[in-house]
Amino acid sequence: MKDNKPRRRKTAAGSGARPVTEKQATMQPVHKSQKLANVCYDIRGPVLEHAKKMEDEGHRIIKLNIGNPAPFGFFAPDEIIEDVIVNLPSASGYSDSKGLFAARKSIMHYAQEKHLPNVSMDDIIIGNGVSELIVMAMQALLDNGDEVLVPAPDYPLWTAAVSLAGGKALHYVCDEEQGWFPDIDDIRAKITPNTRAIVVINPNNPTGAVYPPALLQQIVELARQHQLIIYADEIYDKVLYDEVRHTSIAALAPDLLVVTFNGLSKNYRACGYRAGWMILCGEKKHARDYIEGLNMLASMRLCANVPAQFAIQTALGGYQSIDDLVAPSGRLARQRDLAHKLLTDIPGVTCVKPQGALYLFPRLDPKIYPISDDQQFILELLQEEKVLLVQGSGFNWIAPDHFRVVFLPNSDDLIEAIGRIARFLARYRQRHGTA
């Protein structure tokens, strides 16, 4: 007769451990938090995972998916590296939770140069890159159901951070036919009693648009009428082409609370240092409780990494080598021009030429490229031509007709990569009878 009693595993003699049955040994699945249900970051999403598998199989992938300058030969200036090295012996302990005095002092001086109003040392918090500070700013502000106006297309961390904090991102449209400038009427139409803030990404990622003062003033007026906080993402404020000038929106809103984000990642090609900061400026008396929350969160993570903080003063006060790269004869400007020409030479592809940042956001004519799932489209491109891009929906764009191209690779690699894209698109037209 079969023995149906649960079998017990042997335990070490004298261990005192309770025997575990086979039934008990079956572990329950561990699910992710429901807070992550609406959080996504497709820049490093499932298509990238597929690309990694292909690399493991020996394929060479041309990566145009992420604005990481170092792999393409754009390195932090030597004087910044030297300052970090020299100060390493002094970087073993925690710093003040808001950051080193000298670093924050230099950020304060930079804020004055940008005409940010009412900024003191206490209004500056240094973080492990802007990304950490964006999440912190949303966690300190939002309750469940609160709304934040975020541009479409956007840098997707903003939408993810709002969702993670329990809020709801409402996407206002940036108009491609108007140079990717925000549609003021669309912003106005999406403001509700639950709206707490508006995010302005200028220069914009992914479109490269740089907003003129008159447009920024219109956004300020809406924020003033509806008592909104303005969050200004200005991480590319020195990556400017064609003699375009950048205006900080905070300089136009001395009577509002504006939180401005910047750092070393792009202007100084130091992404891996993870040195970013946020500046609270303008009218702050009515926001004391919020600021207390920010200070609490800054203290909870103890401090930002200290070695990288020693780079900030030298970076902001030293020679601005980014100016050479974005000049008409500079490498970044030449690669932008080349990538733009190569892409727009492809039938059915148009692209607003970026005035700032490191990206192009071309459009595929839906009549020529009838795409229903742009992530699948990008995956097929990867599989067939070994080029990695990010689809437009990864930036919360409203239609499956765009993708983002990073123009950091040197000219030869750009020519090869966009040539592969052109081949793929030619086959796509043939398959769909639109050639």
Side-chain angles (χ1 to χ4, degrees), residues 138-416:
M138 296 299 99
Q139 292 286 347
L141 177 71
L142 299 176
D143 291 319
N144 291 342
D146 286 345
E147 297 171 354
V148 178
L149 291 163
V150 179
D154 72 339
Y155 177 57
L157 180 67
W158 278 105
T159 296
V162 171
S163 298
L164 187 61
K168 179 180 180 182
L170 293 181
H171 293 97
Y172 64 85
V173 174
C174 297
D175 188 349
E176 186 171 15
E177 294 185 0
Q178 300 298 320
W180 286 116
F181 290 167
D183 184 328
I184 298 299
D185 290 336
D186 192 57
I187 295 175
R188 184 182 293 108
K190 287 174 178 170
I191 296 174
T192 77
N194 295 325
T195 308
R196 302 291 308 280
I198 181 169
V199 174
V200 178
I201 305 174
N202 177 40
N204 186 266
N205 174 10
T207 67
V210 180
Y211 304 153
L215 175 64
L216 295 173
Q217 191 65 67
Q218 290 181 279
I219 296 173
V220 167
E221 185 56 35
L222 284 178
R224 183 176 290 126
Q225 292 173 7
H226 297 276
Q227 300 188 35
L228 306 181
I229 300 172
I230 299 173
Y231 291 102
D233 184 340
E234 300 184 354
I235 193 70
Y236 297 97
D237 71 334
K238 289 181 179 293
V239 188
L240 305 168
Y241 308 99
D242 306 326
E243 299 184 355
V244 170
R245 298 180 64 85
H246 177 265
T247 299
S248 288
I249 193 169
L252 307 176
D255 57 323
L256 302 178
L257 175 63
V258 182
V259 185
T260 301
F261 298 83
N262 213 319
L264 300 186
S265 291
K266 311 302 181 179
N267 293 336
Y268 302 96
R269 288 83 66 203
C271 295
Y273 283 35
R274 310 312 301 134
W277 55 84
M278 63 178 171
I279 306 169
L280 285 79
C281 64
E283 177 53 59
K284 298 185 285 284
K285 290 181 181 179
H286 68 295
R288 287 173 179 165
D289 195 54
Y290 173 58
I291 295 170
E292 181 181 335
L294 286 175
N295 293 336
M296 182 187 304
L297 291 175
S299 298
M300 286 171 61
R301 47 103 221 219
L302 299 179
C303 68
N305 79 85
V306 178
Q309 292 187 51
F310 282 106
I312 294 174
Q313 184 178 22
T314 300
L316 294 181
Y319 180 72
Q320 302 299 299
S321 55
I322 187 65
D323 294 341
D324 299 329
L325 293 170
V326 300
S329 60
R331 182 180 164 188
L332 280 176
R334 287 186 284 108
Q335 291 173 189
R336 175 203 63 157
D337 293 344
L338 174 63
H340 182 266
K341 182 181 186 308
L342 292 172
L343 284 165
T344 54
D345 282 347
I346 301 171
V349 178
T350 56
C351 183
V352 177
K353 198 170 190 178
Q355 296 181 310
L358 306 171
Y359 318 100
L360 298 115
F361 199 59
R363 178 180 182 269
L364 299 169
D365 186 338
K367 295 179 181 178
I368 299 176
Y369 304 99
I371 301 166
S372 58
D373 183 339
D374 60 351
Q375 180 171 283
Q376 180 62 32
F377 176 85
I378 293 300
L379 178 59
E380 291 172 5
L381 169 63
L382 171 67
Q383 293 169 331
E384 294 184 27
E385 291 291 348
K386 315 299 188 294
V387 177
L388 178 61
L389 303 173
V390 182
Q391 69 277 6
S393 62
F395 302 94
N396 292 293
W397 182 237
I398 54 181
D401 57 1
H402 284 74
F403 57 88
R404 190 185 74 167
V405 176
V406 175
F407 55 80
L408 285 169
N410 63 47
S411 295
D412 289 343
D413 287 340
L414 281 174
I415 291 170
E416 180 180 354

Side-chain angles (χ1 to χ4, degrees), residues 2-244:
K2 188 176 179 180
D3 183 5
N4 291 321
K5 292 182 179 180
R7 296 181 181 179
R8 297 181 179 273
R9 293 181 178 178
K10 294 181 180 180
T11 58
S15 67
R18 293 180 61 186
V20 179
T21 67
E22 288 180 356
K23 184 176 181 180
Q24 290 171 324
T26 302
M27 301 298 290
Q28 295 297 315
V30 180
H31 298 289
K32 66 183 178 183
S33 166
Q34 288 298 311
K35 291 182 292 185
L36 296 173
N38 297 314
V39 175
C40 65
Y41 188 75
D42 281 346
I43 294 175
R44 297 197 179 200
V47 179
L48 175 61
E49 292 301 315
H50 194 89
K52 289 179 178 178
K53 292 178 182 178
M54 292 175 66
E55 285 183 318
D56 291 341
E57 295 168 357
H59 298 285
R60 174 180 173 262
I61 307 298
I62 301 178
K63 297 178 180 176
L64 306 180
N65 65 310
I66 189 167
N68 187 18
F72 303 104
F74 295 94
F75 302 113
D78 288 343
E79 61 177 349
I80 293 177
I81 299 171
E82 290 166 5
D83 262 21
V84 172
I85 294 171
V86 167
N87 286 285
L88 273 177
S90 304
S92 298
Y94 297 126
S95 72
D96 182 282
S97 61
K98 291 186 176 181
L100 292 173
F101 177 88
R104 283 189 291 144
K105 191 75 170 179
S106 62
I107 294 167
M108 187 181 77
H109 289 157
Y110 185 66
Q112 292 169 350
E113 291 174 9
K114 299 283 286 187
H115 306 293
L116 274 60
N118 192 21
V119 176
S120 70
M121 291 278 291
D122 283 341
D123 299 320
I124 296 165
I125 299 176
I126 296 175
N128 296 302
V130 167
S131 299
E132 179 191 49
L133 296 170
I134 290 172
V135 173
M136 186 186 300
M138 296 299 99
Q139 292 286 347
L141 177 71
L142 299 176
D143 291 319
N144 291 342
D146 286 345
E147 297 171 354
V148 178
L149 291 163
V150 179
D154 72 339
Y155 177 57
L157 180 67
W158 278 105
T159 296
V162 171
S163 298
L164 187 61
K168 179 180 180 182
L170 293 181
H171 293 97
Y172 64 85
V173 174
C174 297
D175 188 349
E176 186 171 15
E177 294 185 0
Q178 300 298 320
W180 286 116
F181 290 167
D183 184 328
I184 298 299
D185 290 336
D186 192 57
I187 295 175
R188 184 182 293 108
K190 287 174 178 170
I191 296 174
T192 77
N194 295 325
T195 308
R196 302 291 308 280
I198 181 169
V199 174
V200 178
I201 305 174
N202 177 40
N204 186 266
N205 174 10
T207 67
V210 180
Y211 304 153
L215 175 64
L216 295 173
Q217 191 65 67
Q218 290 181 279
I219 296 173
V220 167
E221 185 56 35
L222 284 178
R224 183 176 290 126
Q225 292 173 7
H226 297 276
Q227 300 188 35
L228 306 181
I229 300 172
I230 299 173
Y231 291 102
D233 184 340
E234 300 184 354
I235 193 70
Y236 297 97
D237 71 334
K238 289 181 179 293
V239 188
L240 305 168
Y241 308 99
D242 306 326
E243 299 184 355
V244 170

